[in-house]
Amino acid sequence: MDGELTKGPVPRWQKKLEASEANSSLNVTRSGLSAAYNPNLSGTSVATKTPGKSWDTKKKKSQTPNKDPKTPGGGDRFIPNRGSTNFELGHYLLKQDQEKSENDEENEGNSNANDDKPTPAKLEHRKLISESMQVADSKTTRILSYQNKAPPAPEFHVNPLKVVYTTKTPLSTKSGSRYIPTTSERILDAPDIINNFYLNLLDWSTDNIVTVALGSCVYLWNAGTGSIQELVEYEEGDHACALSWIQDGQILAIGNKSGVVELWDCAKVKRLRVMDGHSARVGSLAWNSYLVSSGSLDGSIVHHDVRSRDHKVATLNGHTQEVCGLKWSTDYKYLASGGNDNLVNVWTAVNEGGVSTANEPLHVLNQHQAAVRALDWCPWQPNVLTSGGGTADRCIKFWNVNNGSLLNSVDTKSQVCGLLWSRTYKELISAHGFANNQLTIWKYPSMVKQAELTGHTSRVLQLALSPDGSTVMSAGADETLRLWNCFAPDPHTAKKASSATKKPNQSAFRQSIR
């Protein structure tokens, strides 16, 4: 009876002692293996619960983050995906830097500079390793760069910042593009127009009056009102071969088949005078203030001073065949002439006491392979001349008349019948014959085609520019005159035309008037 009890229930104090020891061992397990611990699988913790505590309260306290319904992805921290990481490359680069630092330490006390350089075998070994591991040169490549293009946005995605960064840019200021109507704005009938490459039968005056020769008649068309008036009708066998308006006013020069130049006052419909000097038809005319230059089938160029009784001032003999193109430069210092002998001659003006040019050409440009009738001068570069060749040449050439050099040559693939520079844009338009009979607008100086204007069914014989520089009129062998609104000014560009003053005539001959 006095001995120790070995049978019977375990005393209550012993149960508490065993339970406390079990909890302390469980805490050690939690701190060491927290990732593998799951309170739901622990029988000891459940067995020690007191009846007074609720199961729901215990569950909330012991719940792990991956059981939270608010975080369906599981976990409250970011675990990176290292599947795309190239550990081999990183290890190689680290070892390479470590070897380099060790070599630098070894070579600090060595006075021989050649010892720093690795052997050729070692360099070759490094190169093979770099190529096999696809290691780029750190001096020429960027470490942080996107190798693949960003994925496109969803189909119905709307960028909210689009409104902030969107600006209204005029079409003319965008990279090489603007709206150019490719169809004619208006078509006029031109019956009996003479289909001859060497004649110049169309011109547009500063007073907005167009003159055109149809058969044996010369007509005037007022572009503002649309009225048509017949100026003169020649007798059978004679007709106008060249038409040219004076710069200011309604004086029209007409070169006819008989070889004379007539002056007409179109406001009064009256012929003022007849000036001879050629033995064959006059196919080209050009005005310089009160001096009108005429080119003829006989190969000569005659300067007529319309103020003088003896109008014939000088005769230039630089062509061996018909002179079919004449054009004074915008500063009136040079006269360009094109002939059927495939030559372009540039003549200098003489302004000392007379209205004339030098008797010998300043430059003889002989790189065209066909007749040259299309001539025009650049409006903003008075020393740049443009010329176009016929069927056997088909080229547009740009010349620097200061030294006679060829700036550029473009093969247009068709006969060049006319050239005009735009006053609004850095562009020019060319008229062509076979095979498309089109007008082509070129961007200068790149000579990229801006547009092709089609509609003529036969070759385009002549071009004329409106006084405001916005509209081009073309005369075709299909007996039509077409108006193209191809150089209309940009409406977004502020044009202070009302405040701009008209530039005075810079002609050297006008300055000699007393």
Side-chain angles (χ1 to χ4, degrees):
M1 293 297 290
D2 297 334
E4 184 177 359
L5 294 177
T6 56
K7 293 182 180 180
V10 181
R12 187 175 179 181
W13 63 269
Q14 191 174 354
K15 289 181 179 181
K16 289 184 176 181
L17 180 63
E18 291 175 358
S20 62
E21 291 176 356
N23 289 335
S24 62
S25 64
L26 185 60
N27 291 334
V28 174
T29 306
R30 283 182 183 178
S31 61
L33 301 173
S34 60
Y37 171 71
N38 191 343
N40 295 333
L41 300 178
S42 178
T44 307
S45 62
V46 175
T48 58
K49 302 246 187 264
T50 58
K53 292 184 179 180
S54 173
W55 281 94
D56 296 334
T57 306
K58 188 64 179 178
K59 285 182 181 178
K60 290 181 181 178
K61 290 183 178 179
S62 62
Q63 194 171 19
T64 56
N66 60 353
K67 298 296 183 179
D68 190 356
K70 296 182 180 179
T71 56
D76 58 349
R77 62 190 179 91
F78 172 71
I79 302 177
N81 181 15
R82 295 180 174 86
S84 60
T85 305
N86 192 345
F87 291 100
E88 295 179 357
L89 176 59
H91 178 70
Y92 168 74
L93 294 176
L94 288 174
K95 294 293 290 182
Q96 191 179 29
D97 294 339
Q98 185 177 0
E99 292 177 2
K100 185 177 179 182
S101 60
E102 290 176 358
N103 292 334
D104 293 342
E105 292 177 359
E106 292 176 0
N107 295 328
E108 281 182 357
N110 193 354
S111 60
N112 189 2
N114 294 330
D115 294 342
D116 295 342
K117 297 181 180 179
T119 61
K122 194 170 184 179
L123 290 175
E124 185 67 21
H125 179 66
R126 289 181 181 177
K127 183 179 180 181
L128 292 175
I129 294 177
S130 301
E131 290 178 355
S132 63
M133 300 186 69
Q134 298 180 355
V135 180
D137 187 4
S138 60
K139 295 182 179 179
T140 59
T141 58
R142 300 176 61 182
I143 297 176
L144 300 177
S145 62
Y146 291 103
Q147 301 296 332
N148 299 324
K149 194 174 181 180
E155 184 177 359
F156 300 102
H157 173 72
V158 178
N159 186 3
L161 299 179
K162 186 175 181 181
V163 180
V164 179
Y165 294 102
T166 301
T167 57
K168 294 182 179 180
T169 306
L171 293 175
S172 59
T173 60
K174 292 184 180 180
S175 55
S177 64
R178 65 180 183 90
Y179 174 68
I180 302 175
T182 56
T183 57
S184 56
E185 186 178 16
R186 191 171 182 180
I187 302 175
L188 304 175
D189 290 328
D192 301 327
I193 191 170
I194 301 174
N195 185 5
N196 193 322
F197 175 79
Y198 302 100
L199 307 184
N200 294 273
L201 306 176
L202 179 70
D203 199 15
W204 204 330
S205 75
T206 56
D207 292 332
N208 207 19
I209 298 177
V210 176
T211 179
V212 59
L214 303 177
S216 60
C217 299
V218 176
Y219 292 93
L220 304 176
W221 177 68
N222 192 318
T225 63
S227 61
I228 301 174
Q229 184 180 13
E230 181 182 313
L231 180 64
V232 59
E233 181 178 2
Y234 290 96
E235 298 179 356
E236 187 176 354
D238 195 7
H239 59 83
C241 301
L243 302 172
S244 181
W245 290 99
I246 195 171
Q247 286 96 333
D248 299 317
Q250 295 193 18
I251 303 298
L252 176 67
I254 302 175
N256 58 26
K257 187 178 179 181
S258 59
V260 299
V261 177
E262 301 178 359
L263 295 181
W264 284 80
D265 186 347
C266 296
K268 301 178 180 179
V269 192
K270 179 181 179 182
R271 188 172 67 178
L272 301 178
R273 66 182 303 179
V274 178
M275 300 178 292
D276 56 5
H278 294 287
S279 59
R281 71 182 182 193
V282 177
S284 56
L285 293 168
W287 281 91
N288 184 349
S289 185
Y290 294 103
L291 180 76
V292 57
S293 305
S294 59
S296 174
L297 181 61
D298 58 16
S300 65
I301 301 172
V302 176
H303 294 316
H304 307 272
D305 186 354
V306 298
R307 304 168 300 172
S308 175
R309 179 184 178 90
D310 300 327
H311 58 86
K312 190 176 179 180
V313 176
T315 302
L316 309 178
N317 296 305
H319 293 275
T320 57
Q321 296 187 38
E322 182 174 8
V323 180
C324 49
L326 277 178
K327 202 80 171 184
W328 281 96
S329 62
T330 54
D331 57 1
Y332 302 103
K333 292 181 179 179
Y334 302 100
L335 173 67
S337 61
N340 196 28
D341 53 2
N342 308 344
L343 296 180
V344 177
N345 290 334
V346 179
W347 313 81
T348 56
V350 178
N351 55 9
E352 284 195 14
V355 283
S356 181
T357 58
N359 294 327
E360 295 296 329
L362 175 65
H363 301 295
V364 178
L365 312 176
N366 56 3
Q367 297 192 31
H368 280 289
Q369 305 300 319
V372 181
R373 191 194 70 167
L375 295 170
D376 201 14
W377 295 84
C378 180
W380 62 90
Q381 288 180 305
N383 62 312
V384 175
L385 171 66
T386 313
S387 59
T391 306
D393 183 75
R394 307 176 303 179
C395 291
I396 298 175
K397 296 184 183 294
F398 298 86
W399 311 89
N400 184 353
V401 298
N402 288 340
N403 52 21
S405 61
L406 178 64
L407 300 176
N408 192 11
S409 180
V410 179
D411 187 1
T412 64
K413 310 298 182 183
S414 59
Q415 179 188 40
V416 182
C417 303
L419 286 169
L420 279 178
W421 282 90
S422 172
R423 302 173 192 168
T424 311
Y425 307 96
K426 288 191 175 182
E427 299 171 355
L428 69 154
I429 186 170
S430 57
H432 299 275
F434 181 82
N436 296 325
N437 308 310
Q438 84 281 8
L439 282 77
T440 304
I441 298 177
W442 308 83
K443 189 74 175 177
Y444 181 81
S446 62
M447 291 305 289
V448 175
K449 287 185 180 180
Q450 295 290 93
E452 285 194 349
L453 314 180
T454 57
H456 284 288
T457 56
S458 297
R459 65 178 177 180
V460 184
L461 298 171
Q462 191 74 29
L463 292 177
L465 189 65
S466 63
D468 60 358
S470 63
T471 306
V472 173
M473 175 176 280
S474 59
D478 55 0
E479 298 186 344
T480 62
L481 302 175
R482 295 176 182 262
L483 292 165
W484 312 86
N485 189 22
C486 54
F487 293 138
D490 193 345
H492 297 285
T493 305
K495 298 288 185 179
K496 297 182 180 180
S498 58
S499 61
T501 57
K502 192 175 183 180
K503 293 183 179 180
N505 195 325
Q506 301 297 326
S507 172
F509 304 119
R510 183 179 290 275
Q511 295 173 5
S512 64
I513 302 173
R514 296 291 185 267

